[in-house]
């Protein structure tokens, strides 16, 4: 007589809804700026001050008064980035200024160095500047209090730069999901090994680990277990202990060595054990009493990655508040 699965078949939509209903966003933590990359920002971040705070030159040149008609200008001093000068620019005078230098009081424009001839401390302008030319006014880049990054933003290189700019050195982020990956099967050997007759290399573990990291989660633990009840149980419990999510590969079909479902029953509540989905019908989803998610993925390499994409990736994104 054909064996019949004890698990009712659920539709894809219902399976996804069930998974997402149990995938509760993880808590917020604070990380150093150097560790913020690839996290999801947990709070809005605003500019702490005007940027620039003072008018600044955007070129190397000479700070002058735009309406000054003097034939020659006396160069009073030099202002470089980060050092405020002491001179006050009046008609007939100028201050040599470098990119990023603070505009001296009195000046209202900067003429590029390419358009000025300086000899013996006297500058000859080849062109009269417009008022405000080559000057970054205060608040031009960012105004104090302005929203810079919204909660839910994925932090990449540009976002790290913005966080640094506004002084957000300790960054509130959502904790990244920790995932345990367990490959099962007596026939599996490691990728560096030559499989003896009847064996295959374990590819699912490594493919799933890469998929987990692509989805913005971290690998907390990974292992291989043989199709042995005691060994599998030990490994599954170990994985669940250190992770938010356990992914197993293989052992969920109807074979006599398919032990994952009955073992999951002993440590978690199974919400479904069959989905109307090909490839990947035997996908199994369970949760533990302490809110951890366990997925039994099918062993065929294509099935395991396809079910990951359709069912597990959305769960990891929701845990990370990154939908
Ligand atoms: P199972 O679901 O355990 O019956 O496995 C179904 C098929 O997938 C079998 O041919 C297995 O050898 C293969 N398989 C299971 N696990 C892996 C794995 N980690 N890497 C590569 N193939 C696997
Ligand atoms: Mg197997």
């Amino acid at each position: 007589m054909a064996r019949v699965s004890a698990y009712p078949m659920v539709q894809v939509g219902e399976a996804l809804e069930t998974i997402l209903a149990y995938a509760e966003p993880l808590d917020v933590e604070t990380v150093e700026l150097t560790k913020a990359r690839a996290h999801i920002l947990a709070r809005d971040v605003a500019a702490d001050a005007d940027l620039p705070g003072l008018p600044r030159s955007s070129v190397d040149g000479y700070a002058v008064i735009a309406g000054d008609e003097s034939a020659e200008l006396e160069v009073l001093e030099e202002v470089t980035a980060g050092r405020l000068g002491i001179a006050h620019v009046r008609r007939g005078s100028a201050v040599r200024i470098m990119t990023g230098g603070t505009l001296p009081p009195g000046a209202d424009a900067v003429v590029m160095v390419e358009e000025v001839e300086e000899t013996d401390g006297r500058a000859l302008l080849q062109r009269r500047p417009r008022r405000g030319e080559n000057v970054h006014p205060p608040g031009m880049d960012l105004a104090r209090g302005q929203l810079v990054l919204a909660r839910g933003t994925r932090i990449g290189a540009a976002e790290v730069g913005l966080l640094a700019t506004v002084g957000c050195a300790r960054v509130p982020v959502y904790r990244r999901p920790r995932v345990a990956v367990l490959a099962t099967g007596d026939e599996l050997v490691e990728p560096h090994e030559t499989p003896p007759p009847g064996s295959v290399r374990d590819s699912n573990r490594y493919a799933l680990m890469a998929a987990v990291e692509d989805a913005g989660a971290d690998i907390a633990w990974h292992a291989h277990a043989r199709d042995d009840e005691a060994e599998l149980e030990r490994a599954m419990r170990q994985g669940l202990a250190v992770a938010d999510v356990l992914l197993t590969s293989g052992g969920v079909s109807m074979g006599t060595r398919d032990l994952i479902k009955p073992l999951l029953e002993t440590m978690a509540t199974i919400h479904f054990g069959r989905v109307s989905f090909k490839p990947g019908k035997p996908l199994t989803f369970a949760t533990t009493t302490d809110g951890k998610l366990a997925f039994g993925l099918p062993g065929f390499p294509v099935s395991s990655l396809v079910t990951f994409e359709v069912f597990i990736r959305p769960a990891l994104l929701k845990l990370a508040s990154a939908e």
Side-chain angles (χ1 to χ4, degrees), residues 33 156-166:
L33 185 58
E159 289 74 19
V160 168
L162 279 170
L163 290 166
T165 297
V166 301

Side-chain angles (χ1 to χ4, degrees), residues 181-188 200 202 204-205 223-228 231-233 235-236 246-252 257-260 263 297-299:
V181 179
L182 176 65
T184 74
D186 289 340
E187 74 280 31
L188 301 181
V200 291
D202 176 5
N204 291 353
R205 175 156 47 130
H224 162 245
R226 286 177 293 121
D227 295 315
D228 169 85
E231 184 173 331
L232 278 171
E233 177 171 2
M236 288 164 75
L246 169 68
L247 304 181
T248 64
S249 126
V252 281
R257 302 314 294 160
D258 289 335
L259 302 166
I260 295 293
L263 280 171
L297 279 69

Side-chain angles (χ1 to χ4, degrees), residues 29-41 153-157 159-161 163-164 168-176 216 218:
E29 62 182 12
T30 304
V31 295
E32 297 295 321
L33 185 58
T34 50
K35 298 278 182 269
R37 189 192 68 84
H39 283 78
I40 305 295
L41 192 62
T153 302
R154 180 175 290 277
I155 300 171
E159 289 74 19
V160 168
L163 290 166
C168 189
R170 295 180 39 78
V171 188
V173 295
Y174 291 106
R175 183 163 74 68
R176 284 162 60 99
D218 293 324

